[in-house]
Amino acid sequence: DEGEGLGPAQASLMSMDNIFIERCTTDDPNSLLEVLLRAKTLLEHHNVKLIVIDSIANAFKGMSSSSLDDGGAQKQQHESQRLTQVLYRTMNLLKRYACDYNACVVITNHVADHIERVSVQRATQALTETLCTSGRIVRASLGMGLAQSVTCRYFVSRLEGVRLNENEYDTSGCVRAFEVVFSPFQAKRKTKYIINQSGVWGIPDAVYETGQ
C-alpha cells in the first residue's frame, strides 16, 4: 500500500494530492467562469472526476444586487440579461466537462425567504418548488435560469421540533433532511440524518418521532 507506514500528517497530505482548490472573486460571475475555463487543463492531465462549486450564488448575488440598485428600469433589465447570459455560459461549460471527461458536477446554492409578490411573478414562482427549512418557506436563488440547467436537484434542510439525545448519538441534537426535489433517476423522497464526529448517519422515522 502506497500510504502504509506514513504518519497521520503525511497520510493527510497524500490524500490531498488530487484535490485542487481555487477561490473565485466574490460577487463576480466572470471570475467563476474564468476559473472553470482554466480547469480544463486539470481535467485533461489529472483525470479529475468531481467538480464542486460552493456556492454558485456567491458569484451572482452581490453583483446583481449592487449593480441593480441604481439606474432606471432599462439599465436593470440590461444587467439582468447580462448576468443570465453568464450563468448560461457557466452551466453549458459544466455540462460539456461532464460529458467530455465523464466527470460529476456538484453545485451548491443558497435559498432565500419566500415573499409573496405580484401576480405576474407569482406565475413564475409556481414553476419552482416551495421548500421549507427551520420552519421557514424558502426558494432557491438564481431562479429558473439555474433550475432548468441541472439534471438533479436536492435540498438539504434543518428540521424543527425534535432534537435527539446528544449523549447517545454524539451530536448537537440537530436533525437534518436530505430531499430529492427532482431527478430522472430517483423517486421524490426525503430522508433524515445527523452529523457527528463519526460521520453522517441516517435516522429511522421511529427515532426521529420520539427523539430517542
Side-chain angles (χ1 to χ4, degrees):
D1 187 2
E2 187 177 354
E4 187 175 354
L6 296 177
Q10 291 174 304
S12 178
L13 288 175
M14 179 176 288
S15 68
M16 296 290 290
D17 279 350
N18 292 318
I19 298 177
F20 305 92
I21 300 174
E22 182 151 0
R23 296 183 183 275
C24 301
T25 304
T26 306
D27 304 341
D28 183 2
N30 288 300
S31 173
L32 172 60
L33 185 57
E34 290 169 3
V35 168
L36 290 175
L37 288 170
R38 295 199 302 272
K40 183 177 181 180
T41 302
L42 296 177
L43 291 163
E44 291 177 341
H45 300 290
H46 294 275
N47 195 31
V48 171
K49 293 300 180 183
L50 174 64
I51 302 172
V52 179
I53 299 177
D54 182 24
S55 118
I56 192 168
N58 278 341
F60 289 86
K61 66 173 185 177
M63 187 172 182
S64 59
S65 61
S66 61
S67 58
L68 297 182
D69 282 343
D70 54 354
Q74 185 174 0
K75 179 181 178 181
Q76 293 181 7
Q77 182 179 9
H78 178 270
E79 184 67 9
S80 178
Q81 291 174 346
R82 189 182 70 82
L83 292 173
T84 300
Q85 289 174 355
V86 177
L87 176 61
Y88 284 150
R89 286 182 60 195
T90 300
M91 298 305 297
N92 287 336
L93 179 62
L94 290 170
K95 288 180 180 179
R96 191 161 72 245
Y97 284 166
C99 180
D100 293 348
Y101 300 99
N102 193 30
C104 175
V105 179
V106 177
I107 299 172
T108 68
N109 192 16
H110 292 165
V111 295
D113 289 336
H114 169 61
I115 301 175
E116 195 69 29
R117 302 191 177 187
V118 296
S119 56
V120 175
Q121 294 171 315
R122 204 172 294 150
T124 302
Q125 291 176 338
L127 300 176
T128 61
E129 298 81 8
T130 297
L131 306 168
C132 186
T133 180
S134 299
R136 297 162 26 238
I137 297 177
V138 296
R139 288 188 181 273
S141 300
L142 303 181
M144 294 300 294
L146 179 64
Q148 293 179 337
S149 299
V150 297
T151 305
C152 305
R153 296 197 295 275
Y154 304 102
F155 181 57
V156 178
S157 60
R158 292 180 181 231
L159 300 179
E160 293 289 305
V162 173
R163 296 183 66 84
L164 299 183
N165 186 301
E166 298 180 15
N167 295 325
E168 181 177 353
Y169 290 94
D170 186 26
T171 176
S172 64
C174 175
V175 179
R176 293 172 169 85
F178 184 92
E179 179 180 355
V180 179
V181 177
F182 170 80
S183 172
F185 314 109
Q186 300 167 297
K188 188 170 183 178
R189 56 171 300 185
K190 179 188 293 187
T191 186
K192 304 171 186 68
Y193 69 97
I194 59 171
I195 302 175
N196 60 22
Q197 293 183 351
S198 302
V200 179
W201 300 91
I203 298 296
D205 287 339
V207 173
Y208 171 72
E209 291 170 0
T210 61
Q212 301 296 322

